[in-house]
Amino acid sequence: MIVVVGRVITDASKRAQMIEVAQKVAAASREEAGCIEYRVFEDTEQPNRFVFVEEWADEEALQKHFRTPHIAEFMQAVPETIVAPPDVKFHRVASTQDLSEVGAG
């Protein structure tokens, strides 16, 4: 699994536009084969900071995602909504455990 975590900063005047762009790309991405989850969250302690969390089945699904029309549209729209360079990290996950599977120590 590949987990993508993207952080962006907007300002009050661009916040509504950011939410619209984010919701549109998230909804379209969740329809793609290989997308396990795609959500956008707003930081509750720092206004106008958003975190995109994506989970992809594998590299092939992620690469197909990058070639979709909605990602091209997102990449064109997002620079108008942010006030600092985005911070995007790709994490390759070897295994995952549910909280119930983790020992209390």
Side-chain angles (χ1 to χ4, degrees):
M1 175 173 50
I2 300 171
V3 177
V4 182
V5 179
R7 294 175 175 87
V8 296
I9 303 169
T10 189
D11 62 23
S13 69
K14 299 176 182 181
R15 182 178 178 278
Q17 184 181 3
M18 166 55 71
I19 291 171
E20 181 180 333
V21 167
Q23 288 176 339
K24 187 174 182 180
V25 75
S29 297
R30 285 192 295 268
E31 298 298 318
E32 293 180 52
C35 181
I36 299 166
E37 187 67 80
Y38 195 120
R39 296 288 172 194
V40 181
F41 304 94
E42 186 171 8
D43 191 319
T44 61
E45 295 177 342
Q46 298 180 342
N48 303 314
R49 293 176 185 250
F50 292 84
V51 179
F52 291 70
V53 180
E54 310 170 32
E55 296 177 11
W56 296 94
D58 53 32
E59 187 69 32
E60 180 181 359
L62 181 61
Q63 292 305 317
K64 285 182 180 179
H65 169 67
F66 288 139
R67 294 189 299 271
T68 61
H70 57 270
I71 285 300
E73 185 178 322
F74 174 76
M75 297 302 284
Q76 187 172 25
V78 81
E80 298 174 13
T81 67
I82 59 177
V83 297
D87 174 24
V88 181
K89 302 286 191 279
F90 298 81
H91 307 275
R92 273 121 182 113
V93 179
S95 67
T96 301
Q97 290 180 301
D98 187 84
L99 180 60
S100 65
E101 300 170 312
V102 177

